[in-house]
Amino acid sequence: MTDVPDKLYSLEIRQYDLNGNYIPETGNDFGDKNIGERLNITLTKSDGCQLMLVARGNGSAIGAL
């Protein structure tokens, strides 16, 4: 059985450089977003960077990053 989410709750997107350091000018807390909703995200050009995307279920089991 596969559950399909109704929303992305408390969506957060963060960018990290090659050394694992958070790039503070990037990403954001987007709150609750509908599936398929368009987002505008500011990222910094960086070779070898990583993006972390976190979305929670409908509830407060996990706090913000």
Side-chain angles (χ1 to χ4, degrees), residues 10-51:
S10 302
L11 176 63
E12 297 180 53
I13 299 175
R14 302 282 186 259
Q15 183 180 11
Y16 294 85
D17 67 17
L18 182 62
N19 296 315
N21 299 307
Y22 172 59
I23 303 172
E25 305 83 34
T26 64
N28 208 339
D29 299 337
F30 292 96
D32 300 345
K33 293 296 175 186
N34 292 318
I35 303 298
E37 184 175 344
R38 182 175 292 244
L39 295 174
N40 291 318
I41 302 169
T42 300
L43 299 175
T44 298
K45 185 175 181 176
S46 176
D47 291 334
C49 71
Q50 298 180 40
L51 293 179

